[in-house]
Amino acid sequence: MTDAPAPRPRPGSELRAGHADRDAVAERLREAAGDGRIDLEELEERLERAFAAKTYGELESLVADLPGRGTEGLAPEAREPLVLRTVAGEIRQTGHWVVPERITAKNTLGQIVIDFTRAECPHREVRLEIDAGMGEVRIIVPRGWSVRTEGLSSGLGSVRNRATEPPVPGMPVLRISGGAKAGTIVVRHPYRWPGRRSGD
């Protein structure tokens, strides 16, 4: 009698997972704990394994016994970045939108507004690269987010980061790089009082 062949891995399970995939599984595990499906000790153990996972197969094993989909639909690591580019016009990325891991904003003479206030951000870190030229780039981030400017240059322009409230642990980190040759870059929180649009 011959031994039965070892089961073959599910197609795609050996693909490498990325930060977005690990974050999505971690969110499902937290929801399962909130529903009482797993206890806090098991949640901690599974979260540790999720953030250390290298493949989709490793992630799938952590949610295989939970209702709902497995790892199907998780965002791949190599997502296309959001590219916002204008010469002399206006671009407003506002309202509800899903934030990718990388955003590029290039503005020659016009204005670009990137409003994260109502956006859905599944990532722990988001990288925003700015080339303001002679225009303006305005960024609105929710209170609790951490904003880190990394090598921003101003040239003849100005860079003002007003989003300086203490960050909340577990909230996204926005890393901003690039610069303004002769333009303006402003980072701030939403206004506290009604009657003004967050992009104003």
Side-chain angles (χ1 to χ4, degrees):
M1 181 176 179
T2 58
D3 293 334
R8 300 183 63 183
R10 185 180 63 81
S13 64
E14 296 179 344
L15 293 176
R16 304 288 285 195
H19 292 313
D21 307 314
R22 299 183 190 98
D23 289 343
V25 167
E27 183 60 28
R28 287 200 59 205
L29 292 172
R30 294 187 185 99
E31 290 177 359
D35 292 340
R37 301 184 190 279
I38 58 177
D39 58 33
L40 293 180
E41 183 178 350
E42 190 173 5
L43 171 63
E44 184 177 348
E45 177 188 348
R46 292 197 189 196
L47 285 176
E48 184 176 348
R49 289 168 56 193
F51 290 125
K54 293 182 171 58
T55 66
Y56 281 101
E58 292 177 72
L59 289 175
E60 188 172 52
S61 67
L62 298 173
V63 294
D65 60 347
L66 300 177
R69 69 185 189 278
T71 53
E72 181 184 355
L74 294 181
E77 174 69 9
R79 289 185 64 177
E80 289 293 324
L82 172 63
V83 178
L84 305 173
R85 183 176 300 165
T86 182
V87 175
E90 179 185 62
I91 297 177
R92 288 178 174 266
Q93 185 70 31
T94 62
H96 178 269
W97 54 290
V98 179
V99 181
E101 288 184 296
R102 293 184 177 274
I103 303 171
T104 300
K106 186 171 183 179
N107 182 4
T108 305
L109 290 168
Q111 182 188 60
I112 296 177
V113 176
I114 307 173
D115 188 351
F116 294 93
T117 307
R118 296 172 53 197
E120 179 182 341
C121 183
H123 312 292
R124 285 178 293 177
E125 290 191 357
V126 177
R127 294 188 176 274
L128 169 59
E129 183 177 354
I130 298 175
D131 182 356
M134 298 175 66
E136 179 186 44
V137 176
R138 193 175 303 174
I139 303 121
I140 302 101
V141 297
R143 289 177 172 81
W145 281 38
S146 174
V147 176
R148 301 180 184 176
T149 54
E150 302 177 339
L152 270 178
S153 60
S154 60
L156 297 174
S158 65
V159 176
R160 300 192 297 272
N161 179 14
R162 298 170 179 164
T164 56
E165 292 188 8
V168 174
M171 294 289 278
V173 177
L174 179 63
R175 298 182 180 274
I176 305 176
S177 60
K181 295 180 179 67
T184 302
I185 297 173
V186 178
V187 187
R188 64 170 178 79
H189 293 303
Y191 293 121
R192 291 184 180 277
W193 56 90
R196 298 183 66 175
R197 294 187 303 173
S198 61
D200 291 339

